Amino acid sequence: MKTACAGWLIVLAALVVQPVMAQTCSSTLVKTTGSERFRSQKDGSIYDLQTGLLWSACSYGQTWKSGVCSGSPVAVDLTGALLAVTDLTLAGYQGWRVPNINELQSLVEWSCVGPAADLAYFPDIRNNHYLSSSARDVDGAPVIQVLDFYSGRVRDALYDTSYLLLVRDMR
């Protein structure tokens, strides 16, 4: 009897598991990012011609190797993120920081979801929350804002940790 129940549980679990979703982009919406805006530095960094910011192509915890992001991203809280950027050298540069929510949202490719990013420049961006240095007041207490890269929407941080893209000023 236990074996039959375990078998049904496995079948039920297989039916409930969601398939892995790939990025979907609309052919009727104007692309908001791309080659007119970004330049790959070929060293794991992306220069944004519009804002003058330099971005890490990979999420924090990953390394750029032979044109791809390798390893797994590491989710951090804001304190961990601020400590991580101290004295960090990436792509030959120092001065990396946690982006504010406006900077982070400027990366959103509004014609795509799952993730809402230009994968030609940010090849391993996750369908997940990315940390910002911005906060808003909720009932007298600061709440950190995150960007949900699945849809490009700003959210209040509901989790202790989030992924992180690093940025630095170039102008």
Side-chain angles (χ1 to χ4, degrees):
M1 182 72 166
K2 287 183 182 179
T3 305
C5 287
W8 279 108
L9 287 175
I10 291 170
V11 169
L12 182 60
L15 293 173
V16 173
V17 172
Q18 297 291 323
V20 175
M21 296 180 66
Q23 184 183 51
T24 304
C25 297
S26 171
S27 60
T28 59
L29 295 176
V30 175
K31 195 168 165 68
T32 56
T33 63
S35 61
E36 302 82 35
R37 167 112 184 256
F38 296 125
R39 292 288 183 266
S40 172
Q41 303 301 96
K42 310 275 190 234
D43 60 2
S45 66
I46 306 298
Y47 182 65
D48 185 334
L49 296 163
Q50 183 176 325
T51 64
L53 296 173
L54 189 69
W55 291 91
S56 58
C58 303
S59 299
Y60 175 72
Q62 296 180 301
T63 56
W64 183 260
K65 201 181 257 184
S66 304
V68 297
C69 299
S70 62
S72 297
V74 175
V76 294
D77 62 11
L78 184 57
T79 301
L82 294 172
L83 290 173
V85 298
T86 304
D87 299 325
L88 177 70
T89 300
L90 178 67
Y93 294 100
Q94 290 186 321
W96 294 94
R97 60 182 174 78
V98 179
N100 67 46
I101 198 64
N102 294 327
E103 291 168 335
L104 198 54
Q105 196 171 34
S106 76
L107 299 179
V108 171
E109 174 50 61
W110 291 106
S111 67
C112 299
V113 295
D118 191 325
L119 297 180
Y121 295 96
F122 300 95
D124 205 32
I125 201 85
R126 302 299 166 111
N127 283 327
N128 214 311
H129 298 103
Y130 278 74
L131 189 63
S132 82
S133 61
S134 300
R136 69 182 195 95
D137 186 280
V138 176
D139 298 326
V143 175
I144 301 299
Q145 293 182 302
V146 296
L147 183 82
D148 180 354
F149 259 111
Y150 175 79
S151 64
R153 302 291 181 201
V154 174
R155 309 268 188 229
D156 291 339
L158 301 176
Y159 308 102
D160 292 335
T161 61
S162 297
Y163 290 126
L164 176 65
L165 276 180
L166 301 173
V167 67
R168 73 181 304 276
D169 299 297
M170 291 296 284
R171 291 185 181 166

